[in-house]
Amino acid sequence: MSKTVLDNLTGMYFTLDAPDGSYGTGQVIRLAAEGVYFVRFDGNEVTLPLELVTVGEMLETTEEEYKLWRFFDTIEERDKWIEWLDAPSKPRVISLVKPTTP
């Protein structure tokens, strides 16, 4: 009897947060072995070679429990996330003084 390996990540696009606040992007290329994937990080001009990443590494979080890896079905979804992430925050002015009634 053969054992079926579940593969839900092949083809997914991702962002990977770095400790310095920057992030990398790429795509999960294919399953290498159970719980291990070939991923390709996006490069500037040259397609970088594939790297092996375990599911355990993909599930790691920061000390504050923030996910380091985020997965997206399409590159458009990932780009929309990056656009939101990179957008400057808009400051709001909140009045702390109760208005007086005339």
Side-chain angles (χ1 to χ4, degrees):
M1 187 156 83
S2 66
K3 182 178 177 183
T4 304
V5 177
L6 188 61
D7 175 11
N8 292 329
L9 295 175
T10 294
M12 300 285 285
Y13 294 90
F14 65 83
T15 61
L16 172 59
D17 294 344
D20 66 359
S22 65
Y23 56 86
T25 60
Q27 184 178 22
V28 179
I29 302 301
R30 67 183 168 93
L31 187 67
E34 186 174 356
V36 181
Y37 285 88
F38 283 111
V39 300
R40 177 174 287 133
F41 286 91
D42 297 331
N44 293 336
E45 298 173 9
V46 179
T47 303
L48 300 174
L50 301 178
E51 294 187 31
L52 288 171
V53 179
T54 66
V55 172
E57 291 173 288
M58 294 176 182
L59 294 174
E60 288 179 355
T61 60
T62 65
E63 291 178 7
E64 297 82 21
E65 298 299 317
Y66 291 109
K67 295 179 192 175
L68 298 175
W69 292 73
R70 297 196 191 307
F71 295 94
F72 306 89
D73 289 326
T74 66
I75 200 164
E76 290 81 15
E77 289 176 6
R78 185 186 70 183
D79 290 347
K80 188 175 179 180
W81 168 260
I82 291 171
E83 183 180 317
W84 175 82
L85 191 63
D86 290 344
S89 56
K90 297 176 184 174
R92 293 184 357 176
V93 177
I94 300 173
S95 176
L96 298 177
V97 178
K98 185 176 180 180
T100 57
T101 53

